[in-house]
Amino acid sequence: MDKVLVSEMEKNNIDPEITNKILKTINAPNFVNNKSAKVKGIPSADNKIIVDLSREIKWEVNYEQAKERLSKLTDTITLDGKKISKNGTITLNREELENIGLNLLPFTSLGILNGGSATSYVDYKKNSLYNKPLFDYCEYLFKDLSERYKNSPKGVAPAYINFDYSEGYSFLELKMRSLLIKAQKYIDTTGQKDLGHLLFQMTSCNNNDQLVNKFKEYANSNILKKLADKTGIDITSPLTGVQPLIPAFTHSSLGKNRDIFTNADGEKGKILPLPGGHGQNFHVLRNIYETLYKEGKRFVYLGNVDNIGFNIDFAEVAILALSGKEAAFDFSFKTPVDVKGGILVYDENDRLTCEDIGLAIPLDFVQEEEKKGKSILFNCATGLFNLEYLVKNIERIIESLPLRLSDQEKDAGKYSQAEQTTWEIIGLLDDFIIFGVDKYKRFLASKLIMENLLISRTGRIFSYFEQNKNDPMNSISIKMRKGLDNIFDKEMQFGIFDN
């Protein structure tokens, strides 16, 4: 590799060794990129492998097996033997599951995938195509927000915008508050305070310093400080793994053989540093997973920072613990705004797997299935892992997770991006659970600023929909805003713990 290019890469925090490895992989004759999955069917909830948590829960499990699994963790949780059925099972409702999950908090940790800077979030082209008339109506709001956060980590951007356009609390602040509220509930219930590391994260070498400084500021946050003092938990010092960057590669229109993209923003010789996808977490966070396991943690959540609904669900933790499965994943029923991500399918071998729309499954297929009336389960990018299984199988997972190459056309130019997608791990697992969840409680994600505005339903957005009530996104925006209010009330409990 050219010395000048290597020097330029190092200045941009790009790892030359990983870059070389990726180039060899994607230029190898046997490299198969974005191969469409052979889809056999679309699954539906069966309350065994796919458990619907969006409604009233009645979850059945073998009593003796569940009791044995709990005994390996703690002796503080008991199952009601009077509820055993003739076939030896016990059926638990949400309240019972949440009580079990609460008592498992010392064994649980939440992992945040920060990724790189908010490139897609502030990208003009992507946002303008989201809903063109709506974008035109509030373009000045987009420009104001994009200018402020174009060089910032996504997590420090406001998770919502108030009706008067003032900024709400950041994605990271909301995650930390949720954890502190759960910790306070655990302490109030049990009298115990030893909860270990409740939070860990993956940053990138491009934004880690910014995040370190921001976490110092969050120690005095209006919604965190009093809770942190009450619980004695330093939530602003998470375990951290730093993801190296890789460069963008040349677009497919320039030929099958790829090279490093050196024309970013139209400047000759300029390279574009990018994260290599959240799937790299298994390599980047490997030591952290091992540290958490040694600490006594047995369940770890993993999800994207920009999803306001991504927080610990005690019922989910309980089901995974009682079932003994390898992992569990949140999926919600797809809506028109769910355009970037994966869906749940049966492959030709009748295995459940998650495949990305556009990257691995043609968009045409998804649209045809929707026209037939099929309910598509859309990946919420939230996983809950049995940590013992994860630690024991981490090497195999790192080596087996697919590498995907996708063409991009953004403000920086036409290039291709190499990524590993975390959720393709589903195809590598043998025994897992899918949680069917309420989108408006668990999946309020802001991949773009326009999605943030749609969820927030600020004055300008409200005004647009008052004039365009038949726009399909109007009803979605109303539901999203109700979901946000529900999270404020139930999950964040604003005002209750702040006095």
Side-chain angles (χ1 to χ4, degrees), residues 345-363:
V345 297
Y346 281 118
D347 67 14
E348 69 272 27
N349 298 314
D350 287 322
R351 286 177 60 95
L352 283 174
T353 186
C354 178
E355 299 288 352
D356 264 22
I357 300 172
L359 287 179
I361 292 184
L363 179 60

Side-chain angles (χ1 to χ4, degrees), residues 353-471:
T353 186
C354 178
E355 299 288 352
D356 264 22
I357 300 172
L359 287 179
I361 292 184
L363 179 60
D364 291 349
F365 168 79
V366 178
Q367 292 172 337
E368 284 301 315
E369 291 300 301
E370 287 179 309
K371 286 179 183 177
K372 294 175 186 176
K374 295 285 182 70
S375 295
I376 309 291
L377 281 166
F378 191 85
N379 183 21
C380 297
T382 298
L384 175 60
F385 293 88
N386 178 322
L387 187 56
E388 182 173 12
Y389 172 86
L390 187 59
V391 168
K392 287 182 178 178
N393 291 272
I394 196 78
E395 186 65 38
R396 177 180 65 85
I397 291 168
I398 291 170
E399 292 299 320
S400 303
L401 203 65
L403 179 69
R404 303 292 186 187
L405 193 65
S406 60
D407 283 337
Q408 304 287 329
E409 187 170 355
K410 296 184 181 179
D411 297 342
K414 289 177 68 174
Y415 59 89
S416 64
Q417 183 172 6
E419 296 180 285
Q420 284 183 301
T421 304
T422 302
W423 315 113
E424 290 201 64
I425 190 178
I426 293 175
L428 305 179
L429 301 177
D430 295 316
D431 195 18
F432 56 88
I433 296 174
I434 299 297
F435 291 130
V437 299
D438 184 338
K439 171 183 173 60
Y440 303 105
K441 290 181 180 178
R442 294 289 289 172
F443 192 43
L444 292 177
S446 296
K447 298 295 180 189
L448 306 172
I449 285 178
M450 290 305 299
E451 284 182 306
N452 189 313
L453 293 175
L454 203 68
I455 292 169
S456 303
R457 205 169 172 84
T458 61
R460 190 72 174 167
I461 300 293
F462 179 83
S463 173
Y464 172 81
F465 284 128
E466 280 296 294
Q467 300 172 42
N468 299 273
K469 292 183 178 180
N470 292 328
D471 188 312

